[in-house]
Amino acid sequence: KDDKKLEKIEFSNLKQTYALNEDVTLQLKSDAGREIDSVQYFINDKKIGSVKANTVLTYNLSNAKHGTQNIKAIAYTKGKPNQTTTTIDVFSHVQPAFYTYTIVNTYPHDIKAYTQGLEFYGDVLIESTGNGEGRGTGTKGKSSIRKVNAKTGEVVKINELDDAIFAEGSTILNNKIYQLTYLNNEAYVYNLESLQKEKTFPYFQKMQGWGLTNDGINLYMTDGSDRVYKVNPTDFSLIDYFVVSTNRGTIGNVNELEWVNGEIYANFYTQDAIGIFSPIDGTVNGVVDLKDLKSKVTQHPDLDVLNGIAYNKKTGTFFVTGKNWDKMFEIKINK
């Protein structure tokens, strides 16, 4: 009788969605009265504990990343293993605040700049552009790293890249400019004064490059998913990552990044909004709806999405623009 097929086991009383830091209570139910001697539990194939018989295992999700978690249980009955799996979702427990904005000033911006990265260095803007194709005319842009006069829009100095390179986000760290590439799987380091390229780093894995910022020590990069990767600037190795999430789900298409007072402000590709999230676990704490801005720039066939956030420490204001926008807006976020 004991040699017959093991009975079906399944998880009892699991919810579909949990919050970060919440306890998940793990226990099995069996469709027959067979005695379970012990159970081992795993989350994403990492063992989180074991219990004698079929007692309850309580596990706190404080170390989880946002998103889907694969849960596995192996129950042993008289030495025979019986396995079951399921999934739960872990989302943020914070409902984001919605902020408004005020336009402080409007400045000219290069209509041909397919803006990918924007950051202040003193009073000068360092802008990274890609060679995206214009939506209407199909005209290809030119990837570049450039210094821009924030108030006049004048390009003060520029290094244009080869047409084979689609440049992406950029940031300034240790008096160097770091820049990502979209599909070349490599990052570039530039001299801040001359804009000459000094180094090339391969990415830590095959991936797209999107947005880039830093906390004064390490880099944070995005790849178009809901993940933000913390990267070592000396060799571009991966330190850690987190997943951006609200209380309703994880948020993909994380794009251009800006580090402001211990939080990350981000563009989300095709969404005309800025999200503000924690660089520790990716919890979205606030959202700024900027969709009205696109109607305030010159409408033309190659006009593309909002992209580019630069924080001006002196004034506490943000400079924002978009791909092939002829204006840059200085805004104050009203919290």
Side-chain angles (χ1 to χ4, degrees):
K1 184 179 168 206
D2 278 346
D3 291 325
K4 73 173 183 153
K5 195 165 153 288
L6 290 166
E7 286 94 354
K8 183 166 175 263
I9 54 168
E10 56 188 34
F11 289 93
S12 80
N13 305 322
L14 267 187
K15 297 187 297 180
Q16 183 51 53
T17 304
Y18 289 82
L20 215 55
N21 295 331
E22 197 177 340
D23 281 341
V24 57
T25 305
L26 297 167
Q27 192 171 29
L28 296 176
K29 57 183 182 193
S30 169
D31 64 1
R34 179 175 288 223
E35 292 286 311
I36 293 173
D37 301 323
S38 65
V39 188
Q40 293 182 347
Y41 289 101
F42 302 80
I43 293 187
N44 301 329
D45 286 328
K46 182 171 170 254
K47 188 176 175 183
I48 58 163
S50 55
V51 293
K52 290 223 178 328
N54 185 22
T55 51
V56 171
L57 176 72
T58 303
Y59 180 74
N60 185 271
L61 292 165
S62 57
N63 291 325
K65 312 268 191 204
H66 290 130
T68 301
Q69 318 290 317
N70 298 305
I71 301 186
K72 177 169 75 178
I74 304 174
Y76 290 89
T77 304
K78 294 187 177 167
K80 285 190 178 169
N82 190 1
Q83 181 175 310
T84 186
T85 57
T86 191
T87 61
I88 59 168
D89 291 317
V90 175
F91 299 145
S92 156
H93 62 282
V94 177
Q95 182 157 357
F98 282 86
Y99 302 129
T100 58
Y101 69 95
T102 309
I103 297 175
V104 180
N105 284 300
T106 303
Y107 301 114
H109 179 248
D110 179 4
I111 199 167
K112 290 196 169 74
Y114 196 80
T115 306
Q116 303 285 37
L118 202 62
E119 197 171 297
F120 271 100
Y121 176 65
D123 293 325
V124 177
L125 276 170
I126 303 293
E127 184 172 9
S128 175
T129 70
N131 63 355
E133 281 187 25
R135 291 193 156 191
T137 65
T139 311
K140 241 176 157 25
K142 201 93 170 122
S143 289
S144 73
I145 194 77
R146 51 177 77 183
K147 289 183 184 179
V148 177
N149 181 318
K151 308 236 161 135
T152 66
E154 181 203 352
V155 179
V156 180
K157 189 172 271 221
I158 187 167
N159 179 357
E160 290 192 329
L161 308 185
D162 190 272
D163 281 347
I165 296 160
F166 191 134
E168 283 276 349
S170 61
T171 193
I172 303 142
L173 178 62
N174 302 328
N175 286 320
K176 302 286 179 195
I177 302 170
Y178 287 78
Q179 182 186 48
L180 300 178
T181 59
Y182 177 37
L183 298 172
N184 291 63
N185 226 66
E186 58 191 20
Y188 305 137
V189 184
Y190 297 91
N191 181 292
L192 189 48
E193 298 313 318
S194 69
L195 301 186
Q196 289 310 299
K197 194 198 289 184
E198 294 182 343
K199 269 186 194 159
T200 299
F201 286 119
Y203 294 163
F204 58 86
Q205 66 184 31
K206 185 143 179 50
M207 65 197 294
Q208 293 183 2
W210 282 44
L212 195 63
T213 192
N214 73 84
D215 61 7
I217 299 167
N218 293 304
L219 300 167
Y220 293 76
M221 74 176 283
T222 59
D223 65 350
S225 69
D226 53 11
R227 293 186 175 195
V228 177
Y229 302 91
K230 188 176 179 180
V231 175
N232 186 326
T234 60
D235 60 2
F236 240 76
S237 60
L238 178 67
I239 296 167
D240 200 1
Y241 75 92
F242 59 82
V243 178
V244 178
S245 177
T246 69
N247 55 329
R248 300 175 67 175
T250 69
I251 312 292
N253 282 345
V254 187
N255 201 4
E256 218 268 301
L257 306 176
E258 184 82 357
W259 183 279
V260 185
N261 301 327
E263 291 185 296
I264 293 176
Y265 287 59
N267 290 126
F268 296 83
Y269 186 58
T270 74
Q271 296 189 41
D272 296 318
I274 288 173
I276 305 163
F277 53 80
S278 157
I280 296 162
D281 58 24
T283 294
V284 178
N285 294 307
V287 176
V288 192
D289 184 353
L290 296 174
K291 69 171 169 292
D292 291 347
L293 288 182
K294 199 173 177 184
S295 65
K296 297 181 192 301
V297 303
T298 300
Q299 306 297 301
H300 63 98
D302 290 343
L303 187 69
D304 214 322
V305 295
L306 176 89
N307 204 44
I309 310 167
Y311 178 65
N312 188 315
K313 289 193 182 87
K314 287 183 185 169
T315 56
T317 56
F318 292 82
F319 283 59
V320 297
T321 188
K323 299 170 188 284
N324 302 131
W325 287 21
D326 69 343
K327 294 186 181 73
M328 187 172 300
F329 300 94
E330 183 181 0
I331 64 168
K332 185 173 169 291
I333 293 174
N334 308 313
K335 291 196 175 180

